[in-house]
Amino acid sequence: MPNRIKSLLAFLALTTAGCVDGVQSTLDPLGPVAERQMSTFMVTLWVSLGIFAVVGSFMVYCIVKFRHEGQITPDTPLPEQGHGSAITEIALILVSVGLVGVIALPTVTGVFWVGTEPANEDVMVIDVTGQQWWWKFDYPELGVSTANEFAIPAGRPVRFNLKSADVQHSFWVPRLGGKMDLLPGQDNWLWLEADPAMLAANNDQLSTADNEPGQRWEHLPDDYPFQGYILYGQCAEFCGDSHAFMKFRVLVLDDANFRKWVEWQKTDAKSTLDKEQADAGLLAFRQNKCGSCHMIRGTSASGQVGPDLTHFGTRTSVAAGWLENTKENLGHWIMNPNEVKPGNIMYKTGYLQLDENGEEVQNYKIKLDDAAKNTIVDYLTSLE
Ligand code: CUA
């Protein structure tokens, strides 16, 4: 194979690799907003492809048909010149205006439709706060607050009020709809909905292999208290060192499970460890100042700086959707915050870590040894 073709194939493989992984594909919508946006995109795409095919064919035809045969010299006469055809020109203008209309109609009506909260429907409100580099989700009507992972009921529109605590971020759940910026000093909003029928149709195409450990799932894991789907979200506006790790997950539940989820989220943290172990865990958590930034409702840890960890053990991910929630990953995150998420606050204001020789590692201000780490990890992963 010629090298030029090889590099073209390599380029295509790199640039289209993301399209194969459907969990964040805008071309595989799971809600009315995403579906409408995709159909508008498709109209534009087909019209553009049509224009490309027609204009391209004419061009190739003309190049082949009217090419000069033989050598061109300074004496070669110019081809016969003309002023074109008025009828052709008027026809081309009319066709162009018509095609712009074909694209403009669904685009303009779609812009208004997407920008208007659905009337006559019971819209749920979620306040989203983006910060470097995690997400806070508050349900003002339900009294629930959570971080990096939140639930919505299938079939009900949700209004997301978007604000930023620091720099510019962008809220994006590709399979539910387009993105919207979170700007400091300006409140934006958008509405999204997960459609039960689309989810069910999508479900038919899933195999059990989709829930393999280490894979990205579309179903909630078997040991999660509720049945449902996981949709993946992502910050879509460069917001600093760890922008690429500012992810989140949307749990889509049916109505009954959503109500149970809400009641459960309102409860205080409960540890599955015995009391002595849980107390030791909370003590290590407090002694290492984790509680000054993190809230664990029902305990003396009431920090507001970082994500709420009240039901942490049941979250499917750690470090804002970046790692699966396993003891190993959590331990790694606690001990090497800057490696997992460069520049984050836990690292910058964090604790002092000892290396294998017992030497203090720079940039950490509070000592955390392996035993303390394990106690904290066991405690946090036991919270439900
Ligand atoms: Cu937040 Cu990018």
Side-chain angles (χ1 to χ4, degrees):
M1 198 188 294
N3 272 340
R4 219 182 282 177
I5 307 269
K6 268 192 214 159
S7 18
L8 178 68
L9 287 179
F11 174 75
L12 284 176
L14 281 174
T15 49
T16 57
C19 309
V20 180
D21 178 3
V23 296
Q24 279 187 298
S25 171
T26 51
L27 302 179
D28 197 358
L30 289 178
V33 176
E35 191 185 37
R36 179 134 184 182
Q37 287 168 337
M38 190 189 74
S39 65
T40 308
F41 166 75
M42 284 300 173
V43 169
T44 313
L45 180 72
W46 286 117
V47 168
S48 309
L49 281 177
I51 294 172
F52 174 75
V54 170
V55 173
S57 313
F58 266 112
M59 205 167 86
V60 170
Y61 171 78
C62 292
I63 288 172
V64 173
K65 164 103 178 162
F66 300 108
R67 75 185 186 280
H68 182 82
E69 312 220 350
Q71 203 68 26
I72 293 178
T73 67
D75 302 327
T76 309
L78 283 174
E80 199 184 314
Q81 303 292 302
H83 288 287
S85 140
I87 291 183
T88 311
E89 281 178 25
I90 290 169
L92 283 177
I93 290 170
L94 290 180
V95 169
S96 305
V97 169
L99 288 175
V100 169
V102 168
I103 293 175
L105 189 70
T107 307
V108 173
T109 53
V111 163
F112 285 101
W113 182 79
V114 166
T116 313
E117 229 180 77
N120 310 320
E121 284 199 68
D122 186 13
V123 180
M124 191 176 84
V125 177
I126 299 180
D127 293 338
V128 182
T129 313
Q131 28 207 314
Q132 291 171 316
W133 288 277
W134 63 282
W135 302 85
K136 187 169 189 288
F137 300 101
D138 295 302
Y139 297 65
E141 297 154 341
L142 302 172
V144 167
S145 182
T146 180
N148 300 326
E149 209 166 283
F150 67 102
I152 59 170
R156 187 171 161 195
V158 182
R159 178 194 168 105
F160 293 94
N161 293 321
L162 308 171
K163 56 180 187 219
S164 165
D166 38 49
V167 300
Q168 195 167 338
H169 304 276
S170 181
F171 179 80
W172 193 25
V173 191
R175 296 185 78 179
L176 294 186
K179 57 192 93 163
M180 180 66 79
D181 278 359
L182 297 86
L183 304 167
Q186 186 194 312
D187 293 347
N188 280 346
W189 72 277
L190 84 167
W191 74 271
L192 300 171
E193 181 180 332
D195 184 271
M198 288 183 191
L199 284 164
N202 181 66
N203 190 21
D204 290 342
Q205 297 161 18
L206 296 174
S207 70
T208 48
D210 290 314
N211 265 3
E212 290 291 321
Q215 301 265 320
R216 299 219 283 169
W217 320 311
E218 298 199 353
H219 280 134
L220 281 163
D222 290 341
D223 56 353
Y224 198 78
F226 306 109
Q227 303 286 297
Y229 304 86
I230 296 185
L231 304 184
Y232 294 84
Q234 167 85 46
C235 178
E237 180 74 54
F238 180 72
C239 54
D241 297 10
S242 286
H243 152 70
F245 307 119
M246 188 173 164
K247 296 159 166 285
F248 61 93
R249 296 181 179 191
V250 190
L251 318 180
V252 186
L253 309 174
D254 64 23
D255 252 356
N257 276 321
F258 179 73
R259 274 196 294 271
K260 279 192 236 166
W261 182 86
V262 167
E263 289 315 309
W264 168 50
Q265 288 297 310
K266 285 187 196 169
T267 60
D268 287 343
K270 274 202 313 276
S271 169
T272 51
L273 298 174
D274 60 43
K275 187 166 179 338
E276 201 178 316
Q277 269 181 303
D279 288 349
L282 181 61
L283 185 66
F285 188 84
R286 299 275 325 280
Q287 275 174 340
N288 290 289
K289 305 217 163 65
C290 313
S292 11
C293 291
H294 296 284
M295 158 89 76
I296 300 178
R297 258 179 296 120
T299 76
S300 46
S302 57
Q304 297 281 344
V305 177
D308 184 312
L309 302 178
T310 302
H311 301 287
F312 180 83
T314 57
R315 299 241 173 97
T316 64
S317 68
V318 284
W322 177 225
L323 302 170
E324 297 306 326
N325 189 357
T326 63
K327 287 190 180 189
E328 203 187 351
N329 283 343
L330 178 60
H332 182 69
W333 168 219
I334 291 176
M335 295 302 264
N336 309 279
N338 206 43
E339 218 173 88
V340 174
K341 206 182 263 194
N344 76 86
I345 296 177
M346 189 155 78
Y347 171 75
K348 284 198 281 194
T349 63
Y351 34 81
L352 186 93
Q353 194 190 10
L354 305 181
D355 67 13
E356 59 272 27
N357 305 318
E359 299 288 326
E360 293 180 353
V361 181
Q362 289 303 304
N363 288 331
Y364 292 75
K365 292 169 191 144
I366 300 166
K367 287 190 189 185
L368 191 64
D369 59 20
D370 250 13
K373 175 205 70 175
N374 289 336
T375 312
I376 293 172
V377 167
D378 286 345
Y379 173 65
L380 287 178
T381 50
S382 78
L383 293 177
E384 55 171 43

